[in-house]
Amino acid sequence: MTTMDIVEQFEENCCVMCYTTAGQLWNIIAPREFVDFSYTTQYQEGLLSCGVSLNYGETRPNFVRGHNHPCGWFCVPLPDNLDHSLLTGYIQTDLRGRLPQSAVDTAMASTLANFYSDLRKALKV
């Protein structure tokens, strides 16, 4: 993910967000943008965030509009170590466009690995 912007805020925990990704595999996979409705709330001393893509606004030039089917992230503190949490994500992404499945699988695997690695670095104290 290269950018994440709130496009419209409804309440503190409810908004429309736009995410972009960089091109992958020497731009065989063009940059994507996703516009999602997102809702985040407290859940068992942790957080639950869920979302789904919307048909919202125009697709920016040089991007392909991807689509996220209903998805969610759970972040719950570990009972035996409250300084650490378990992050579980359920995603169903359709990158759209004409892509060989092998290219999609390779790009998604590296993108998710980079996402978790960057998240871990960002959360280190």
Side-chain angles (χ1 to χ4, degrees):
M1 192 177 327
T2 53
T3 67
M4 180 175 73
D5 299 306
I6 295 175
V7 176
E8 189 170 340
Q9 183 87 36
F10 302 110
E11 295 176 15
E12 182 179 345
N13 56 347
C14 183
C15 64
V16 174
M17 301 189 78
C18 181
Y19 308 89
T20 62
T21 65
Q24 299 286 317
L25 300 174
W26 305 281
N27 274 340
I28 293 172
I29 299 177
R32 296 301 199 258
E33 74 172 354
F34 299 85
V35 178
D36 292 358
F37 170 79
S38 178
Y39 181 80
T40 303
T41 187
Q42 295 284 330
Y43 175 77
Q44 294 185 1
E45 300 179 30
L47 292 174
L48 163 64
S49 183
C50 53
V52 64
S53 281
L54 303 171
N55 290 327
Y56 187 97
E58 297 293 320
T59 303
R60 290 185 269 183
N62 302 320
F63 285 89
V64 173
R65 177 69 60 93
H67 181 85
N68 287 317
H69 297 278
C71 55
W73 297 91
F74 300 89
C75 186
V76 180
L78 296 174
D80 56 340
N81 187 350
L82 297 179
D83 290 335
H84 291 85
S85 296
L86 176 64
L87 175 64
T88 306
Y90 296 94
I91 58 171
Q92 303 178 87
T93 298
D94 180 355
L95 295 178
R96 298 203 168 152
R98 294 178 162 209
L99 300 169
Q101 190 61 47
S102 60
V104 171
D105 293 344
T106 300
M108 287 296 288
S110 67
T111 298
L112 285 172
N114 289 338
F115 171 78
Y116 282 111
S117 175
D118 292 347
L119 180 63
R120 184 177 181 176
K121 290 175 192 170
L123 295 176
K124 282 219 170 193
V125 178

